[in-house]
Every structure is written in structure tokens, then in C-alpha cells.
Amino acid sequence: MLTIAPDVEVLARFGRALADPIRCRLLLALREAPAYPSDLADALEISRTRLSNHLACLRDCGLVVAVPDGRRTRYELADERLGHALDDLRTAVVAVEADRTCPDADEKGCC
């Protein structure tokens, strides 16, 4: 039975998924179009085993789904709104990055 996760749980799952650069790249690739694991591994230049682990994490977080396609499995974002959310996050981060309010950010490596 499919249930809707509470808001805090959803944000925590999203944060867990975005905490790894490979998972971020995977989400951005799937934002463009559904894809097969072999194509994703080639595009991201990682092993299929490593890719499989990251896809499993994204599935467990509820962000991607595996869709049977004959003898293959295609991956896609679980909800098209996730693509919009990724775009919003990207532009928000760019906006924050451009508006550095900490005068010591460069030497402290913060902000």
C-alpha cells in the first residue's frame, strides 16, 4: 500500500539523496529523460555496481522508480514535480552562492 510520507520525512529523504554528488548527477540525468542503468553508468563514467547502489538508495528514498521494459529496466523520476524541485533548488543555491554575506567566506571556507 502506497502512503504519503510526512513533510519532515520527505525533506530528510531528499536531503539524503542530494548529499552525494553521484546521486545528484543521477537525479539531474533522470530529470532530462528516463534512462537504462547501462546508459546512466556510461554517461556518469561509473561502474554498474556503483550505479546500482546509488539507484537503490534513490529508490529507497522514493525519488526514482524502476519501470520494467521488456527484459530491461528503465529508471525515471518517481514524480515529474521532482524535476521542477531540482530546478528550483539549483537556482536557489546559485542565488545564495552569488549573494555571499560572510566577508570571511573565502578564507574560512564557509558560506
Side-chain angles (χ1 to χ4, degrees), residues 31 77 79-91:
R31 179 181 119 264
L77 295 178
D79 187 314
E80 68 180 40
R81 292 175 289 184
L82 289 170
H84 300 294
L86 289 167
D87 288 337
D88 289 344
L89 283 171
R90 281 183 34 247
T91 56

Side-chain angles (χ1 to χ4, degrees), residues 3-82:
T3 60
I4 303 300
D7 292 344
V8 172
E9 185 180 330
V10 168
L11 291 174
R13 286 178 179 202
F14 207 65
R16 225 178 357 264
L18 294 176
D20 184 277
I22 291 174
R23 289 193 296 269
C24 288
R25 292 172 57 207
L26 266 170
L27 289 169
L28 291 172
L30 293 174
R31 179 181 119 264
E32 297 298 321
Y36 297 100
S38 58
D39 297 332
L40 289 167
D42 291 344
L44 299 178
E45 299 179 338
I46 61 173
S47 71
R48 291 184 188 187
T49 302
R50 195 167 181 198
L51 176 82
S52 178
N53 291 333
H54 286 290
L55 285 172
C57 176
L58 292 173
R59 276 194 324 269
D60 291 345
C61 288
L63 299 177
V64 302
V65 292
V67 179
D69 187 13
R71 296 184 342 170
R72 299 177 74 189
T73 301
R74 183 183 70 242
Y75 282 85
E76 58 189 52
L77 295 178
D79 187 314
E80 68 180 40
R81 292 175 289 184
L82 289 170

